[in-house]
Every structure is written in C-alpha cells, then in structure tokens.
Amino acid sequence: MRFLPEPPPSSLHPTRTGLLLVNLGTPDAPTASAVRRYLAEFLSDPRVVEIPRLVWLPILYGLVLTLRPRDAAARYASVWTSEGSPLLAWSRRQAEGLSRELSDRGLGVEVALAMRYGNPSLEAGIAALRENGCERILVLPLYPQYAASTTAAVSDAVGACLARLRNVPEIRYVRDFHADPGYIEAMAVRILDFWRDKGRGRKLVLSFHGLPKRSIALGDPYHQQCLETGRLLAERLGLYAEQVEITFQSRFGAAEWLQPYTEPRLKELAKSGVSDVDVFCPGFVADCIETLEEIAMQGKEAFLLAGGRQLRYIDALNDSPAWIGALADLAERHMQGWTTRSEARQPADAAHAAVLLQRKNDKTPATDR
C-alpha cells in the first residue's frame, strides 16, 4: 500500500484538535448524470444495501442506475437553491455556526465538513484538518439515531481514509445523540416557535427515515432510539399520546420496512377526519430532499387529496441558535481531556515557561519595596 504524503512536523504549529462534521451526501447538481454518480456511490455501499454483491450489483447497474436518476434529478431540481443542494447549504451553515460557537467559548477547534457520499468527501475533510495540524479528530455524524447503514458507514469510510495515512491522528466518534437533552430542547424550541407564530394543528406527526425490518432483527437499535426520541420530544412539548404519531418515510425496494409508513398514514389521518396536521422530521437535522420534497410537497399533496385541509411542514433544525448551541455542547463533552488550540498555544515545556517568565521580569521596571 502506498501511503499519502504527510506535511512535515513543525514546532511552529502546535498540536490541534479538529472536528469533522459529517452528513449523508448529495449530488453535485440536479442532473441525471450527477445523480447517477451519487447513487452509484451511495447504493453500492454494502452497509446501505445488505444484499449479496453478486445479486445486487447487476440490479444496481443494470436497472436502478438506468431508470432512477432522471426521476430523482427532477425531484432534486424542485428543491435546489441558489446555494446548491439544501442539505449541503444547511450543513455548511451548521459547520460555520459550530466553529463560531466553539471559538466564542474559547475553544480553538478546527471544524471541517464532509459528506459520506459525494462532495466534500471524507478524505478531503480529514486532509483539511491534518493540514491545519490536527492530531486529534472528533468525528460527529449528523445522525441522531444510530443505524449501521448511516453511522457505521461513516466509521467504515473514516477507517479507510486513515488506512492510507502514515501518521494516523487520534480519533473519537459520536455514536448517536437520540436522547441528548440539547437536541431534544432544540427540536422543542423549533416546534414551539412554529406553533406560536402559525398556530397548532390537531396532530403532530414525527416522521423518521425508514429502515428495513431486517436491519432491526440483525441488531440495529435504530427503531428503539426513534421511539425514545419521539417520547422525549412529546414529553417536552407536553403532548398526550393521542396528539402525536411516529411514522417512517423514504422506503426503498420491495422489502418490509419500519411502519407505519408516513404517506399512507397521512392519508388515513385525512380520511378519518383529522383535517390539520403538522409534520416534523427529528432524524433530519438539516433540510434536504427527504423533508422538502418528500414531506412538504409529496406528503402535503397526498394528505390534501385524501381530504385533509392543511399539512404544515416544520423546518428542520438547520442553523437555529438552539441547535448550534446543542451541537457545541455535544462536541465539547466528547472532546473532554483533549487540548484545544488556545490551550496548545501555552508553553508545553515547563522550562520554556520559566524562560518566558524570566524575560518578562527582566523587562519589568524596579519599584520601591
């Protein structure tokens, strides 16, 4: 194996701590070719599709990547912004906000953003931190609930990047934060602010990303963590059981996934006489195609056609101050014991510190005693 070249060590750049913020990923453009490249990387990951390679890859390259990119590109185009992909735009703002918040707290932590699939890549994010002298890196996947297809896939990719380095940095991971008080509070603030400004629907639907039931049977704690998140959020909002529902969206393929499925349940609610619903997606900390197109557009249309009067999508956490603060709290807890850059600027050698003190004393004017 050939290792990637490393920058030469320098005493002028003391050891620093880095934070790698990771989200799922997005195509580079809302075009069929860009979507095809993105889906090829995403859906070829054995963590994402747990079907034997000899069976799945011919289906992926012979059918899925032939038929799906054009339709998916149109869906991406419907939510694309002047800043590009909503997921990438919001993730960048989260990284920038987190960097400012940590700096305001006196923590000189280098923050980099990476996507598990697509750009900016994990390799580029780790390289940027290494170039800034980071010998310790906290990897913070933006997945509140743990699943092998998301969080573990990040761990796999980080490990593959590190395997190509000669001088491997110290690594820590945030495994999940589904019950983190700051995360729960940030969501509650988002929802309560929405209700204060726009009123409240008869039902709050909490829509999480789906997962094949087989993944749960194999040991993923995802379903239980989603239920725990929903319970804690409902308690914080002061809701009774009949005022809130947990559903699962974004099902792919023919296998049975976690239920109830979001869109069919929205139709059932409309037909049963629930005329107004609010939908929030706790598993997505940044708005993306799954929230803006699948819920705010498709879900709303399905609900209205089934007889509902109003479906209101509540924005994801995005760069809300409460969420940035919660992210900083989460990162700070996981970096305990690590020296920050501001601390690293202090002399690490006691003798060196004594020399500096002596120089300072030599320049101090004498005074009467």
Side-chain angles (χ1 to χ4, degrees):
M1 176 184 293
R2 298 187 63 182
F3 296 103
L4 296 177
E6 291 282 337
S10 172
S11 60
L12 297 178
H13 298 287
T15 296
R16 296 177 178 176
T17 295
L19 194 160
L20 187 64
L21 208 60
V22 185
N23 214 323
L24 183 74
T26 180
D28 293 324
T31 63
S33 58
V35 171
R36 187 175 294 109
R37 287 194 303 272
Y38 170 71
L39 290 179
E41 182 182 7
F42 176 44
L43 296 177
S44 63
D45 187 341
R47 286 284 196 183
V48 175
V49 181
E50 297 185 80
I51 298 175
R53 301 292 88 188
L54 289 176
V55 175
W56 171 240
L57 291 182
I59 297 173
L60 174 62
Y61 286 94
L63 185 63
V64 176
L65 295 180
T66 300
L67 302 177
R68 192 167 180 180
R70 186 179 299 276
D71 174 66
R75 295 178 58 208
Y76 276 106
S78 70
V79 298
W80 214 256
T81 73
S82 59
E83 299 179 62
S85 159
L87 177 68
L88 181 56
W90 285 120
S91 297
R92 280 175 175 158
R93 293 183 187 181
Q94 289 174 346
E96 292 164 0
L98 179 58
S99 180
R100 287 193 299 268
E101 177 66 21
L102 291 172
S103 178
D104 289 345
R105 297 183 182 192
L107 300 174
V109 177
E110 297 289 334
V111 179
L113 174 67
M115 296 289 160
R116 173 58 187 90
Y117 311 99
N119 296 303
S121 68
L122 275 169
E123 186 169 327
I126 291 174
L129 293 176
R130 297 288 290 140
E131 288 171 5
N132 280 303
C134 295
E135 293 289 343
R136 308 176 189 88
I137 298 175
L138 173 66
V139 180
L140 203 171
L142 291 167
Y143 310 128
Q145 296 78 28
Y146 176 93
S149 57
T150 53
T151 314
V154 170
S155 177
D156 290 347
V158 170
C161 290
L162 297 181
R164 299 184 61 204
L165 296 179
R166 180 175 298 278
N167 184 11
V168 176
E170 183 178 356
I171 296 288
R172 291 180 185 172
Y173 295 90
V174 177
R175 182 179 184 271
D176 62 73
F177 50 92
H178 71 283
D180 177 74
Y183 162 64
I184 300 297
E185 181 64 20
M187 292 191 293
V189 169
R190 177 65 105 187
I191 295 169
L192 290 172
D193 285 349
F194 181 90
W195 285 345
R196 184 193 63 235
D197 296 339
K198 300 184 179 180
R200 179 169 144 186
R202 288 183 54 192
K203 181 85 70 172
L204 175 64
V205 175
L206 301 176
S207 180
F208 292 84
H209 198 290
L211 202 68
K213 278 194 169 181
R214 180 174 179 271
S215 298
I216 306 304
L218 290 173
D220 273 26
Y222 181 79
H223 185 222
Q224 191 60 42
Q225 290 189 354
C226 289
L227 297 180
E228 179 72 358
T229 298
R231 182 186 66 80
L232 291 171
L233 180 55
E235 287 180 357
R236 171 61 183 83
L237 293 170
L239 299 178
Y240 296 109
E242 61 270 18
Q243 294 175 299
V244 61
E245 293 205 17
I246 293 176
T247 63
F248 298 90
Q249 64 182 88
S250 307
R251 180 164 54 110
F252 173 75
E256 184 178 4
W257 283 41
L258 294 175
Q259 296 187 41
Y261 301 138
T262 298
E263 186 171 308
R265 183 56 187 151
L266 289 173
K267 293 178 181 178
E268 291 173 1
L269 288 172
K271 292 176 181 177
S272 69
V274 179
S275 58
D276 300 271
V277 299
D278 299 327
V279 183
F280 183 73
C281 301
F284 299 90
V285 299
D287 273 320
C288 55
I289 188 172
E290 285 88 354
T291 63
L292 299 175
E293 194 272 343
E294 185 178 353
I295 298 299
M297 294 182 185
Q298 287 191 23
K300 179 178 181 178
E301 181 180 11
F303 182 74
L304 297 179
L305 289 175
R309 185 181 68 180
Q310 184 174 227
L311 182 148
R312 303 180 307 177
Y313 169 68
I314 302 174
D315 291 344
L317 293 173
N318 295 331
D319 63 346
S320 63
W323 171 231
I324 298 301
L327 261 182
D329 290 343
L330 186 66
E332 194 170 351
R333 285 198 303 274
H334 281 80
M335 292 187 294
Q336 286 184 7
W338 278 358
T339 305
T340 65
R341 183 178 9 144
S342 56
E343 293 169 333
R345 287 174 179 159
Q346 302 301 320
D349 186 278
H352 188 198
V355 170
L356 292 180
L357 180 60
Q358 183 61 48
R359 288 176 181 173
K360 180 180 178 181
N361 291 337
D362 290 343
K363 293 179 181 179
T364 302
T367 59
D368 293 333
R369 298 185 182 182

Short mmCIF file of all heavy atoms in Angstrom, two decimals, residues 62-113:
data_model
loop_
_atom_site.label_atom_id
_atom_site.label_comp_id
_atom_site.label_asym_id
_atom_site.label_seq_id
_atom_site.Cartn_x
_atom_site.Cartn_y
_atom_site.Cartn_z
N GLY A 62 -27.68 -2.35 -13.82
CA GLY A 62 -28.49 -2.68 -14.99
C GLY A 62 -29.88 -2.09 -14.98
O GLY A 62 -30.50 -1.88 -16.03
N LEU A 63 -30.41 -1.80 -13.77
CA LEU A 63 -31.78 -1.33 -13.67
C LEU A 63 -31.89 0.00 -12.93
O LEU A 63 -32.37 1.00 -13.47
CB LEU A 63 -32.64 -2.40 -12.98
CG LEU A 63 -34.14 -2.14 -12.89
CD1 LEU A 63 -34.75 -2.08 -14.29
CD2 LEU A 63 -34.82 -3.22 -12.05
N VAL A 64 -31.44 0.03 -11.69
CA VAL A 64 -31.63 1.21 -10.83
C VAL A 64 -30.95 2.44 -11.42
O VAL A 64 -31.57 3.52 -11.54
CB VAL A 64 -31.11 0.94 -9.41
CG1 VAL A 64 -31.21 2.21 -8.56
CG2 VAL A 64 -31.88 -0.20 -8.76
N LEU A 65 -29.68 2.32 -11.79
CA LEU A 65 -28.96 3.47 -12.30
C LEU A 65 -29.33 3.83 -13.73
O LEU A 65 -28.90 4.87 -14.25
CB LEU A 65 -27.44 3.22 -12.21
CG LEU A 65 -26.90 3.09 -10.78
CD1 LEU A 65 -25.40 2.84 -10.80
CD2 LEU A 65 -27.21 4.34 -9.96
N THR A 66 -30.15 3.01 -14.34
CA THR A 66 -30.67 3.33 -15.66
C THR A 66 -31.99 4.08 -15.58
O THR A 66 -32.21 5.05 -16.32
CB THR A 66 -30.87 2.04 -16.48
OG1 THR A 66 -29.61 1.36 -16.60
CG2 THR A 66 -31.41 2.35 -17.87
N LEU A 67 -32.85 3.66 -14.65
CA LEU A 67 -34.20 4.22 -14.58
C LEU A 67 -34.37 5.34 -13.56
O LEU A 67 -35.15 6.26 -13.77
CB LEU A 67 -35.19 3.09 -14.26
CG LEU A 67 -35.23 1.93 -15.24
CD1 LEU A 67 -36.21 0.87 -14.76
CD2 LEU A 67 -35.61 2.41 -16.63
N ARG A 68 -33.65 5.27 -12.44
CA ARG A 68 -33.95 6.18 -11.34
C ARG A 68 -33.36 7.59 -11.45
O ARG A 68 -33.97 8.55 -10.99
CB ARG A 68 -33.49 5.53 -10.02
CG ARG A 68 -34.02 6.28 -8.81
CD ARG A 68 -33.83 5.48 -7.55
NE ARG A 68 -34.33 6.21 -6.39
CZ ARG A 68 -34.31 5.76 -5.16
NH1 ARG A 68 -33.82 4.56 -4.92
NH2 ARG A 68 -34.78 6.49 -4.17
N PRO A 69 -32.16 7.78 -12.02
CA PRO A 69 -31.54 9.11 -11.98
C PRO A 69 -32.38 10.23 -12.59
O PRO A 69 -32.40 11.34 -12.04
CB PRO A 69 -30.23 8.90 -12.75
CG PRO A 69 -29.89 7.47 -12.52
CD PRO A 69 -31.22 6.77 -12.54
N ARG A 70 -33.07 9.99 -13.69
CA ARG A 70 -33.82 11.07 -14.33
C ARG A 70 -34.96 11.55 -13.42
O ARG A 70 -35.15 12.76 -13.23
CB ARG A 70 -34.39 10.59 -15.67
CG ARG A 70 -35.06 11.71 -16.47
CD ARG A 70 -35.56 11.18 -17.80
NE ARG A 70 -34.47 10.67 -18.60
CZ ARG A 70 -33.70 11.44 -19.38
NH1 ARG A 70 -33.91 12.74 -19.44
NH2 ARG A 70 -32.73 10.90 -20.10
N ASP A 71 -35.69 10.61 -12.82
CA ASP A 71 -36.77 10.98 -11.92
C ASP A 71 -36.22 11.66 -10.67
O ASP A 71 -36.76 12.68 -10.21
CB ASP A 71 -37.57 9.74 -11.53
CG ASP A 71 -38.62 10.04 -10.48
OD1 ASP A 71 -39.58 10.78 -10.78
OD2 ASP A 71 -38.49 9.55 -9.33
N ALA A 72 -35.15 11.12 -10.12
CA ALA A 72 -34.56 11.71 -8.92
C ALA A 72 -34.01 13.10 -9.20
O ALA A 72 -34.10 13.99 -8.35
CB ALA A 72 -33.46 10.80 -8.38
N ALA A 73 -33.45 13.31 -10.39
CA ALA A 73 -32.92 14.63 -10.73
C ALA A 73 -34.02 15.68 -10.74
O ALA A 73 -33.82 16.81 -10.28
CB ALA A 73 -32.23 14.58 -12.09
N ALA A 74 -35.20 15.31 -11.24
CA ALA A 74 -36.33 16.25 -11.24
C ALA A 74 -36.75 16.58 -9.81
O ALA A 74 -37.10 17.73 -9.51
CB ALA A 74 -37.50 15.65 -12.01
N ARG A 75 -36.70 15.60 -8.92
CA ARG A 75 -37.04 15.84 -7.52
C ARG A 75 -36.03 16.77 -6.87
O ARG A 75 -36.38 17.68 -6.12
CB ARG A 75 -37.12 14.51 -6.77
CG ARG A 75 -38.25 13.59 -7.24
CD ARG A 75 -38.21 12.28 -6.47
NE ARG A 75 -38.34 12.52 -5.03
CZ ARG A 75 -37.82 11.72 -4.10
NH1 ARG A 75 -37.12 10.65 -4.45
NH2 ARG A 75 -37.99 11.99 -2.83
N TYR A 76 -34.74 16.53 -7.14
CA TYR A 76 -33.72 17.42 -6.60
C TYR A 76 -33.88 18.84 -7.14
O TYR A 76 -33.73 19.83 -6.41
CB TYR A 76 -32.32 16.90 -6.94
CG TYR A 76 -31.81 15.86 -5.97
CD1 TYR A 76 -31.76 14.51 -6.33
CD2 TYR A 76 -31.35 16.22 -4.71
CE1 TYR A 76 -31.29 13.55 -5.45
CE2 TYR A 76 -30.88 15.27 -3.82
CZ TYR A 76 -30.85 13.93 -4.19
OH TYR A 76 -30.38 12.98 -3.30
N ALA A 77 -34.19 18.95 -8.43
CA ALA A 77 -34.35 20.27 -9.04
C ALA A 77 -35.47 21.06 -8.38
O ALA A 77 -35.41 22.29 -8.29
CB ALA A 77 -34.61 20.12 -10.54
N SER A 78 -36.50 20.36 -7.88
CA SER A 78 -37.64 21.06 -7.26
C SER A 78 -37.28 21.72 -5.94
O SER A 78 -38.01 22.61 -5.47
CB SER A 78 -38.79 20.07 -7.05
OG SER A 78 -38.49 19.13 -6.02
N VAL A 79 -36.15 21.33 -5.33
CA VAL A 79 -35.76 21.92 -4.04
C VAL A 79 -34.39 22.59 -4.11
O VAL A 79 -33.91 23.12 -3.10
CB VAL A 79 -35.76 20.87 -2.91
CG1 VAL A 79 -37.16 20.29 -2.72
CG2 VAL A 79 -34.75 19.74 -3.19
N TRP A 80 -33.76 22.58 -5.28
CA TRP A 80 -32.42 23.15 -5.42
C TRP A 80 -32.47 24.65 -5.17
O TRP A 80 -33.45 25.32 -5.49
CB TRP A 80 -31.88 22.88 -6.82
CG TRP A 80 -30.38 22.67 -6.86
CD1 TRP A 80 -29.45 23.56 -7.30
CD2 TRP A 80 -29.67 21.49 -6.47
NE1 TRP A 80 -28.20 23.01 -7.21
CE2 TRP A 80 -28.29 21.74 -6.71
CE3 TRP A 80 -30.05 20.25 -5.96
CZ2 TRP A 80 -27.30 20.81 -6.43
CZ3 TRP A 80 -29.06 19.32 -5.69
CH2 TRP A 80 -27.71 19.59 -5.92
N THR A 81 -31.42 25.19 -4.59
CA THR A 81 -31.40 26.61 -4.24
C THR A 81 -30.24 27.32 -4.94
O THR A 81 -29.42 26.69 -5.62
CB THR A 81 -31.23 26.79 -2.72
OG1 THR A 81 -29.88 26.48 -2.35
CG2 THR A 81 -32.18 25.89 -1.95
N SER A 82 -30.17 28.64 -4.76
CA SER A 82 -29.07 29.42 -5.32
C SER A 82 -27.74 29.00 -4.72
O SER A 82 -26.67 29.24 -5.30
CB SER A 82 -29.31 30.91 -5.10
OG SER A 82 -29.42 31.19 -3.71
N GLU A 83 -27.77 28.39 -3.52
CA GLU A 83 -26.56 27.89 -2.86
C GLU A 83 -26.30 26.43 -3.20
O GLU A 83 -25.35 25.83 -2.67
CB GLU A 83 -26.69 28.04 -1.35
CG GLU A 83 -26.84 29.46 -0.87
CD GLU A 83 -26.99 29.54 0.64
OE1 GLU A 83 -26.05 29.14 1.36
OE2 GLU A 83 -28.06 29.98 1.10
N GLY A 84 -27.14 25.86 -4.05
CA GLY A 84 -26.99 24.46 -4.40
C GLY A 84 -27.94 23.57 -3.62
O GLY A 84 -29.05 23.97 -3.29
N SER A 85 -27.50 22.37 -3.31
CA SER A 85 -28.30 21.42 -2.56
C SER A 85 -28.66 21.98 -1.18
O SER A 85 -27.79 22.49 -0.47
CB SER A 85 -27.52 20.11 -2.39
OG SER A 85 -28.02 19.36 -1.31
N PRO A 86 -29.93 21.88 -0.77
CA PRO A 86 -30.29 22.35 0.58
C PRO A 86 -29.50 21.65 1.67
O PRO A 86 -29.07 22.30 2.64
CB PRO A 86 -31.79 22.02 0.67
CG PRO A 86 -32.25 21.93 -0.74
CD PRO A 86 -31.09 21.40 -1.52
N LEU A 87 -29.28 20.36 1.53
CA LEU A 87 -28.54 19.62 2.54
C LEU A 87 -27.13 20.16 2.70
O LEU A 87 -26.64 20.37 3.81
CB LEU A 87 -28.48 18.13 2.18
CG LEU A 87 -27.67 17.26 3.14
CD1 LEU A 87 -28.35 17.17 4.49
CD2 LEU A 87 -27.44 15.87 2.55
N LEU A 88 -26.47 20.41 1.57
CA LEU A 88 -25.10 20.92 1.63
C LEU A 88 -25.08 22.34 2.16
O LEU A 88 -24.22 22.70 2.98
CB LEU A 88 -24.46 20.86 0.24
CG LEU A 88 -23.01 21.33 0.15
CD1 LEU A 88 -22.12 20.57 1.11
CD2 LEU A 88 -22.51 21.20 -1.28
N ALA A 89 -26.03 23.16 1.73
CA ALA A 89 -26.06 24.56 2.17
C ALA A 89 -26.28 24.64 3.68
O ALA A 89 -25.57 25.39 4.38
CB ALA A 89 -27.17 25.31 1.43
N TRP A 90 -27.24 23.89 4.21
CA TRP A 90 -27.51 23.93 5.64
C TRP A 90 -26.37 23.31 6.43
O TRP A 90 -26.03 23.78 7.52
CB TRP A 90 -28.83 23.25 5.96
CG TRP A 90 -30.03 24.04 5.60
CD1 TRP A 90 -31.03 23.69 4.73
CD2 TRP A 90 -30.40 25.33 6.09
NE1 TRP A 90 -31.97 24.68 4.64
CE2 TRP A 90 -31.62 25.70 5.47
CE3 TRP A 90 -29.81 26.22 6.99
CZ2 TRP A 90 -32.26 26.91 5.73
CZ3 TRP A 90 -30.44 27.43 7.25
CH2 TRP A 90 -31.65 27.76 6.62
N SER A 91 -25.77 22.25 5.90
CA SER A 91 -24.65 21.61 6.60
C SER A 91 -23.46 22.56 6.70
O SER A 91 -22.77 22.61 7.72
CB SER A 91 -24.24 20.32 5.89
OG SER A 91 -25.30 19.37 5.91
N ARG A 92 -23.23 23.33 5.64
CA ARG A 92 -22.15 24.32 5.68
C ARG A 92 -22.43 25.37 6.75
O ARG A 92 -21.53 25.77 7.50
CB ARG A 92 -22.02 25.00 4.31
CG ARG A 92 -21.24 24.19 3.28
CD ARG A 92 -21.26 24.86 1.94
NE ARG A 92 -20.44 24.16 0.96
CZ ARG A 92 -20.60 24.27 -0.34
NH1 ARG A 92 -21.55 25.05 -0.84
NH2 ARG A 92 -19.80 23.62 -1.17
N ARG A 93 -23.67 25.82 6.82
CA ARG A 93 -24.01 26.82 7.83
C ARG A 93 -23.88 26.25 9.24
O ARG A 93 -23.48 26.96 10.17
CB ARG A 93 -25.43 27.33 7.59
CG ARG A 93 -25.59 28.13 6.31
CD ARG A 93 -26.99 28.67 6.15
NE ARG A 93 -27.19 29.28 4.85
CZ ARG A 93 -28.31 29.85 4.45
NH1 ARG A 93 -29.36 29.86 5.27
NH2 ARG A 93 -28.41 30.40 3.26
N GLN A 94 -24.20 24.98 9.38
CA GLN A 94 -24.03 24.35 10.69
C GLN A 94 -22.55 24.29 11.07
O GLN A 94 -22.19 24.57 12.22
CB GLN A 94 -24.63 22.95 10.68
CG GLN A 94 -26.15 22.93 10.64
CD GLN A 94 -26.73 21.53 10.48
OE1 GLN A 94 -26.01 20.59 10.15
NE2 GLN A 94 -28.01 21.41 10.70
N ALA A 95 -21.70 23.92 10.12
CA ALA A 95 -20.26 23.86 10.40
C ALA A 95 -19.71 25.25 10.73
O ALA A 95 -18.92 25.41 11.67
CB ALA A 95 -19.52 23.28 9.20
N GLU A 96 -20.14 26.26 9.99
CA GLU A 96 -19.69 27.63 10.26
C GLU A 96 -20.19 28.11 11.62
O GLU A 96 -19.43 28.72 12.38
CB GLU A 96 -20.18 28.55 9.14
CG GLU A 96 -19.53 28.28 7.78
CD GLU A 96 -20.28 28.92 6.64
OE1 GLU A 96 -21.31 29.59 6.91
OE2 GLU A 96 -19.84 28.77 5.48
N GLY A 97 -21.46 27.85 11.90
CA GLY A 97 -22.01 28.26 13.19
C GLY A 97 -21.35 27.55 14.35
O GLY A 97 -21.08 28.15 15.40
N LEU A 98 -21.06 26.26 14.18
CA LEU A 98 -20.40 25.50 15.23
C LEU A 98 -19.00 26.02 15.48
O LEU A 98 -18.56 26.13 16.63
CB LEU A 98 -20.37 24.02 14.85
CG LEU A 98 -19.69 23.07 15.83
CD1 LEU A 98 -20.35 23.14 17.20
CD2 LEU A 98 -19.74 21.64 15.28
N SER A 99 -18.28 26.35 14.41
CA SER A 99 -16.93 26.89 14.55
C SER A 99 -16.95 28.20 15.33
O SER A 99 -16.14 28.41 16.24
CB SER A 99 -16.31 27.11 13.17
OG SER A 99 -15.00 27.63 13.28
N ARG A 100 -17.90 29.07 15.01
CA ARG A 100 -18.01 30.34 15.72
C ARG A 100 -18.37 30.13 17.19
O ARG A 100 -17.82 30.77 18.08
CB ARG A 100 -19.06 31.24 15.06
CG ARG A 100 -18.63 31.85 13.74
CD ARG A 100 -19.59 32.95 13.31
NE ARG A 100 -20.94 32.43 13.13
CZ ARG A 100 -21.41 31.97 11.98
NH1 ARG A 100 -20.64 31.95 10.89
NH2 ARG A 100 -22.66 31.53 11.88
N GLU A 101 -19.31 29.22 17.43
CA GLU A 101 -19.75 28.97 18.80
C GLU A 101 -18.61 28.42 19.66
O GLU A 101 -18.41 28.85 20.80
CB GLU A 101 -20.92 28.00 18.80
CG GLU A 101 -21.43 27.60 20.18
CD GLU A 101 -22.07 28.73 20.96
OE1 GLU A 101 -22.48 29.73 20.32
OE2 GLU A 101 -22.15 28.63 22.19
N LEU A 102 -17.85 27.48 19.12
CA LEU A 102 -16.72 26.93 19.88
C LEU A 102 -15.66 28.00 20.12
O LEU A 102 -15.06 28.05 21.20
CB LEU A 102 -16.13 25.74 19.12
CG LEU A 102 -17.01 24.49 19.05
CD1 LEU A 102 -16.39 23.45 18.11
CD2 LEU A 102 -17.24 23.89 20.43
N SER A 103 -15.44 28.84 19.12
CA SER A 103 -14.48 29.93 19.28
C SER A 103 -14.93 30.89 20.37
O SER A 103 -14.13 31.34 21.20
CB SER A 103 -14.30 30.66 17.96
OG SER A 103 -13.40 31.75 18.09
N ASP A 104 -16.22 31.22 20.37
CA ASP A 104 -16.77 32.12 21.40
C ASP A 104 -16.60 31.54 22.80
O ASP A 104 -16.55 32.29 23.78
CB ASP A 104 -18.24 32.40 21.13
CG ASP A 104 -18.46 33.30 19.91
OD1 ASP A 104 -17.48 33.91 19.45
OD2 ASP A 104 -19.60 33.35 19.42
N ARG A 105 -16.53 30.22 22.88
CA ARG A 105 -16.34 29.55 24.17
C ARG A 105 -14.88 29.43 24.55
O ARG A 105 -14.54 28.81 25.55
CB ARG A 105 -16.99 28.17 24.16
CG ARG A 105 -18.49 28.18 23.95
CD ARG A 105 -19.08 26.79 24.01
NE ARG A 105 -20.52 26.79 23.76
CZ ARG A 105 -21.33 25.76 23.96
NH1 ARG A 105 -20.82 24.62 24.46
NH2 ARG A 105 -22.62 25.83 23.70
N GLY A 106 -14.02 29.97 23.71
CA GLY A 106 -12.59 29.90 24.00
C GLY A 106 -11.93 28.61 23.55
O GLY A 106 -10.82 28.30 23.96
N LEU A 107 -12.63 27.84 22.71
CA LEU A 107 -12.09 26.57 22.23
C LEU A 107 -11.62 26.74 20.80
O LEU A 107 -12.42 26.97 19.90
CB LEU A 107 -13.16 25.47 22.30
CG LEU A 107 -13.72 25.19 23.70
CD1 LEU A 107 -14.86 24.20 23.61
CD2 LEU A 107 -12.64 24.67 24.62
N GLY A 108 -10.32 26.64 20.59
CA GLY A 108 -9.78 26.79 19.25
C GLY A 108 -9.81 25.50 18.48
O GLY A 108 -8.77 24.89 18.22
N VAL A 109 -10.97 25.05 18.10
CA VAL A 109 -11.14 23.77 17.41
C VAL A 109 -11.34 24.01 15.92
O VAL A 109 -12.17 24.84 15.51
CB VAL A 109 -12.36 23.00 17.98
CG1 VAL A 109 -12.59 21.70 17.23
CG2 VAL A 109 -12.16 22.74 19.47
N GLU A 110 -10.58 23.30 15.11
CA GLU A 110 -10.74 23.38 13.65
C GLU A 110 -11.96 22.54 13.25
O GLU A 110 -12.03 21.36 13.60
CB GLU A 110 -9.50 22.86 12.95
CG GLU A 110 -8.23 23.65 13.21
CD GLU A 110 -8.25 25.01 12.55
OE1 GLU A 110 -8.95 25.16 11.52
OE2 GLU A 110 -7.57 25.91 13.06
N VAL A 111 -12.91 23.12 12.53
CA VAL A 111 -14.11 22.41 12.10
C VAL A 111 -14.09 22.23 10.59
O VAL A 111 -13.84 23.19 9.85
CB VAL A 111 -15.38 23.17 12.53
CG1 VAL A 111 -16.63 22.42 12.04
CG2 VAL A 111 -15.42 23.35 14.04
N ALA A 112 -14.34 21.02 10.14
CA ALA A 112 -14.43 20.73 8.71
C ALA A 112 -15.72 19.96 8.45
O ALA A 112 -16.21 19.23 9.30
CB ALA A 112 -13.23 19.92 8.24
N LEU A 113 -16.26 20.15 7.26
CA LEU A 113 -17.49 19.47 6.85
C LEU A 113 -17.17 18.41 5.81
O LEU A 113 -16.33 18.63 4.93
CB LEU A 113 -18.49 20.47 6.27
CG LEU A 113 -19.77 19.88 5.67
CD1 LEU A 113 -20.64 19.25 6.75
CD2 LEU A 113 -20.55 20.95 4.92
#
